Amino acid sequence: MPTSKRLNVAVVGASGITGSVTLAVLAQRHFPAARVKALASERSAGMTLPYNGGTIEIEALGENAFKGVDVALFAASADVALMFAPIAAESGALVIDFSSAWRMKENVPLVVPEVNPEDIRDNEGIIANPNCCAIPLTVVLEPLRKAAGIERVLVSTYQSASGAGRALVDELEEQTKAIAENRKPEVAAYPYQLAHNVVPGGWRAEPEGFNEEEVKIVNETRKIMHLADLRIMATCVRVPVPVGHGEAVFFETTEKLTPDEVRTLLGSAPGVIVEDDPHAKLYPTPLHVAGKDEVYVGRIRNDPSSERGLALWLVSDNLRKGAALNAVQIAEHALDMGVI
Ligand SMILES: NC(=O)c1ccc[n+]([C@@H]2O[C@H](COP(=O)([O-])OP(=O)(O)OC[C@H]3O[C@@H](n4cnc5c(N)ncnc54)[C@H](OP(=O)(O)O)[C@@H]3O)[C@@H](O)[C@H]2O)c1
């Protein structure tokens, strides 16, 4: 980044699955950090984590952890964010929070840099990083909205184990091993065995048969895109994949778009890669999108059941664009805008 400013950065939840990717993304993107502080619970204090070719020691999160910190990336739970984000903001840090704690609060911008970067300016010390499915969904819908308007969205997600944190990734690996060795798989981190299974739940149940994740996708998509009345609904499903969320998206535009027009629009959209040639077996899968920064799109086609309806399939790395990368991009934009 073309800046001479050097920032003191704190990563809260640095030992977690998105926290450790955040450390990697900061180093890979040469984020102008004077110092990076790794914070986690008492359990991890004193342990070390790899960072930028060396190691950093984890410190226990406490009220005094944010003295001199310019930007605090919170990759911990909503409870931790509710308690400590205001403390970090009060001590002068710009907080970028990965959890759902602050996302729908009025004075907290919910930002996807490809969609609503200007909202960063409205922050009062805390910026929320959206849900890992809402981020790629809005990255793909926004260029289509600009070209033709979006009237309705139906999305079904295929979410990987890492979306639920390190514990479920470890459990999926252990269950897969147990099945191969003819042992009974243990189930602890999720309500159902995930290996050899597909689970249409696991999130907190909400009224009307929905779950918490589905409600988040609906509300957050509307907030990020500034489309308060968007007709949208989601079905969220956990699949036995370590990293990478897929989404089957059906949408209706205001003006008619052809699949070729969608391919062209998305082909030049920031942060999107179109891989769409079913005859050549070309479509994105989580296995090859894991570790990549962009949102990958394929299977673009007409929805014959709707006059202005189309369908597509997208995949993004939930730990990178769905969490760490999006947060670091927000910090980069904030720095460019003079907000930090
Ligand atoms: N995973 C994803 O794909 C994804 C995507 C978008 C957003 N998010 C959100 O990102 C946040 C982190 O998720 P994750 O998947 O990375 O979870 P995770 O792997 O379970 O990591 C949780 C982190 O929080 C730390 N922590 C727990 N209790 C703490 C406390 N009392 N004080 C300080 N640190 C504490 C843990 O530290 P210890 O190791 O010391 O316990 C660990 O570093 C969550 O809010 C999640 O909803 C996750």
Side-chain angles (χ1 to χ4, degrees), residues 245-257:
H245 289 357
E247 299 179 38
V249 187
F250 297 83
F251 59 99
E252 289 175 357
T253 51
T254 313
E255 310 292 330
K256 171 105 185 121
L257 283 179

Side-chain angles (χ1 to χ4, degrees), residues 9 19 42 88 108 128 153 178 207 214 216 262 271 283 292 297 318 328 334:
V9 180
E42 294 279 359
V108 176
V153 180
E214 292 161 352
K216 284 179 190 172
V262 172
Y283 25 70
K292 308 259 172 55
V297 180
N318 51 293
V328 172

Side-chain angles (χ1 to χ4, degrees), residues 187-193 199 201-203:
V187 177
Y190 214 61
Y192 284 90
Q193 176 185 317
V199 185
W203 296 274

Side-chain angles (χ1 to χ4, degrees), residues 12-19 39-44 61 74-78 80 98-100 103 130-132 162-167 245 318-319 322-323:
V12 180
S15 56
I17 197 157
T18 56
L39 298 164
S41 77
E42 294 279 359
R43 294 179 290 274
S44 313
L61 176 61
F74 271 67
S77 65
V80 168
F98 294 32
S99 82
S100 57
R103 290 179 190 155
N131 169 276
C132 44
S162 58
R166 201 184 289 290
H245 289 357
N318 51 293
L319 303 177

Side-chain angles (χ1 to χ4, degrees), residues 65-280:
F66 299 100
K67 283 207 178 101
V69 169
D70 301 299
V71 55
L73 299 159
F74 271 67
S77 65
D79 287 347
V80 168
L82 277 175
M83 186 178 295
F84 286 96
I87 294 170
E90 188 63 31
S91 69
L94 176 68
V95 171
I96 302 170
D97 178 38
F98 294 32
S99 82
S100 57
W102 299 92
R103 290 179 190 155
M104 295 311 294
K105 304 248 194 264
E106 214 165 277
N107 300 325
V108 176
L110 181 65
V111 176
V112 177
E114 290 85 347
V115 181
N116 59 338
E118 281 304 315
D119 288 358
I120 288 171
R121 292 192 198 282
D122 301 333
N123 85 83
E124 295 179 2
I126 301 174
I127 296 175
N129 205 36
N131 169 276
C132 44
C133 287
I135 292 172
L137 181 63
T138 56
V139 166
V140 167
L141 290 179
E142 178 63 6
L144 306 177
R145 183 201 66 79
K146 276 192 187 148
I150 296 286
E151 304 235 313
R152 185 171 183 224
V153 180
L154 305 176
V155 55
S156 298
T157 69
Y158 299 65
Q159 298 182 227
S160 65
S162 58
R166 201 184 289 290
L168 189 57
V169 180
D170 294 345
E171 184 160 298
L172 174 62
E173 198 180 313
E174 183 46 42
Q175 288 174 348
T176 309
K177 214 184 293 170
I179 292 167
E181 292 167 0
N182 242 341
R183 287 184 286 115
K184 188 173 161 43
E186 277 183 34
V187 177
Y190 214 61
Y192 284 90
Q193 176 185 317
L194 189 58
H196 292 207
N197 207 358
V198 162
V199 185
W203 296 274
R204 196 183 65 211
E206 294 275 351
E208 311 277 347
F210 289 95
N211 65 46
E212 192 184 13
E213 187 80 348
E214 292 161 352
V215 173
K216 284 179 190 172
I217 292 173
V218 165
N219 291 341
E220 294 182 27
T221 299
R222 289 178 176 148
K223 179 168 175 176
I224 297 160
M225 296 185 75
H226 295 209
L227 293 175
D229 299 323
L230 179 67
R231 292 157 64 211
I232 171 168
M233 85 152 251
T235 301
C236 291
V237 179
R238 188 77 67 192
V239 295
V241 164
V243 178
H245 289 357
E247 299 179 38
V249 187
F250 297 83
F251 59 99
E252 289 175 357
T253 51
T254 313
E255 310 292 330
K256 171 105 185 121
L257 283 179
T258 66
D260 272 343
E261 285 169 332
V262 172
R263 266 178 221 109
T264 305
L265 286 164
L266 294 180
S268 60
V272 180
I273 291 184
V274 176
E275 282 189 343
D276 191 18
D277 185 356
H279 293 290

